[in-house]
């Protein structure tokens, strides 16, 4: 449980019957406008209401055209993300609950990605699934976003594709389905404000992420990425830096000089949601200040959430002190990410899963953040495994379909 869990989470905790890919993976309204970072970082955020990015596809103020898949679907007027109404979907018996909307004239998503606001009450943890039927179930995409059990409020999630079947015709989407499954546990969740977002580029993005400050991230990963002219982000845990088996300050500076982002990791052995708001604030602020004083002012704009765990308080503090937060979500994201307080990461320890997410990001112009912990023999990821994923990325690069990025690159794209 401890290996690799410190910053960005472990492997996908819930299996499903999602197809394994497209065959190429072989050799209340939440505040979303960030308060910004100190001007000395050189990239102050713009005053911008992130909730208003994109255009509303459905505000759920009228449920006349939504049908029930399973369970009960009803208007919710007491607990809304924005506007006067959201929609509550529940099934006390568990198993499954969901709803769908048909688009008889076809919905064109060739140039757009989707995001939605969700409050997952049960199951906890849970996964929200969005199925894009284009035009039939034999040709569809699915997104499954993992939401941790500590998350107790509304959050906006990017609907990044995790599974592909057939050959979807994105210019002719016939149906959208919103579903949650459980193994007998009651289901009760609320969704609101479904939006579509223009794809700003004709390439997908991949961010290579390294957690827990292991020495192998310099000895193995950094050396290999230099050969391939790739940059990445590395999460700095202040209490571990310069200790046995950990990265040193000098190594982090060398990484930064090679265009890596050295990001914050407020990791003290306790998940943030188990702390009070004051304790979370103090730790997040202190860790960011550590990076500032050490000279990592570009990367201090970003934070890796320990254990992939967060609650609404955590996300509000991320919004206050950082531009992006990163946490395990088991799916890709929009480029640039809209659910910026908890940008989803996937586990690099799962070779097939990570390759599938990379392939889908390249195919549909999305963002996959692949996280690694210790690298080497008998570790989370061996060198052969690691290099194989890099080979897949390079293959997409040669085709002009994928670009390796850092959080700073994503922020610049967002601000442009």
């Amino acid at each position: 449980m401890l290996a690799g869990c410190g910053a960005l989470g472990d492997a996908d905790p819930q299996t499903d019957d999602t197809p394994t890919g497209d065959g190429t993976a072989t050799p209340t309204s939440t505040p979303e406008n960030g308060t910004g970072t100190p001007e000395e970082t050189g990239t102050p955020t713009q005053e911008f209401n992130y909730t208003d990015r994109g255009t509303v596809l459905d505000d759920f103020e009228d449920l006349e055209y939504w049908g029930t898949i399973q369970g009960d679907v009803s208007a919710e007027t007491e607990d809304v993300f924005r506007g006067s109404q959201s929609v509550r979907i529940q099934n006390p018996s568990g198993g499954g609950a969901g709803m769908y909307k048909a688009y008889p004239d076809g919905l064109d998503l060739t140039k757009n990605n989707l995001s939605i606001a969700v409050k997952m009450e049960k199951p906890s943890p849970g996964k929200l699934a969005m199925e894009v039927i284009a035009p039939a179930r034999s040709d569809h995409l699915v997104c499954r976003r993992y939401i941790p059990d500590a998350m107790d409020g509304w959050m906006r999630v990017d609907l990044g594709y995790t599974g592909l079947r057939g050959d979807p015709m994105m210019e002719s989407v016939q149906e959208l389905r919103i579903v949650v499954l459980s193994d007998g546990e009651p289901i009760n969740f609320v969704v609101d404000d479904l939006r579509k977002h223009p794809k700003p580029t004709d390439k997908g993005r991949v961010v290579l992420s390294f957690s827990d400050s292991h020495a192998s991230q310099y000895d193995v990963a950094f050396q290999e990425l230099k050969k391939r002219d790739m940059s990445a982000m590395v999460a700095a845990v202040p209490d571990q830096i310069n200790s046995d088996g950990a990265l040193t300050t000098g190594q982090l500076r060398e990484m930064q000089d090679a265009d890596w982002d050295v990001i914050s990791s407020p990791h003290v052995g306790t998940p943030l949601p188990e702390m009070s708001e004051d304790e979370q604030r103090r730790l997040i602020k202190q860790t960011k200040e550590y990076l500032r004083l050490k000279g990592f002012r570009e990367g201090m704009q970003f934070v890796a959430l320990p254990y992939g765990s967060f609650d609404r308080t955590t996300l509000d503090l991320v919004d206050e002190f950082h531009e992006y937060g990163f946490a395990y979500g088991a799916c890709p994201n929009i480029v640039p990410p809209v659910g910026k307080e908890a940008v989803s990461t996937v586990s690099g320890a799962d070779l097939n899963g990570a390759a599938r997410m990379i392939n889908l990001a390249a195919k549909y112009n999305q963002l996959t953040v692949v996280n690694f912990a210790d690298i080497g023999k008998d570790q989370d990821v061996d060198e052969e495994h690691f290099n194989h994923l890099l080979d897949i990325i390079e293959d997409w690069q040669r085709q002009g379909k994928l670009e390796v990025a850092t959080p700073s690159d994503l922020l610049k794209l967002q601000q442009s």
Side-chain angles (χ1 to χ4, degrees), residues 113-116 128-130 143 145 157-161 194 331-334 366:
N113 286 310
L114 300 175
S115 75
I116 196 169
L128 177 75
M130 169 71 82
C143 165
R145 169 65 192 244
V157 299
D158 295 10
L159 296 172
Y161 301 128
L194 176 63
C331 71
N333 309 268
I334 292 172
Q366 297 189 328

Side-chain angles (χ1 to χ4, degrees), residues 9 25 48 61 86 108-109 123 158 178 182 186 234 271 330 356 403:
F48 194 82
E61 297 290 324
S86 60
D108 188 353
L109 290 180
D158 295 10
I178 301 172
S182 77
V234 57
R356 183 172 73 248
E403 184 175 308

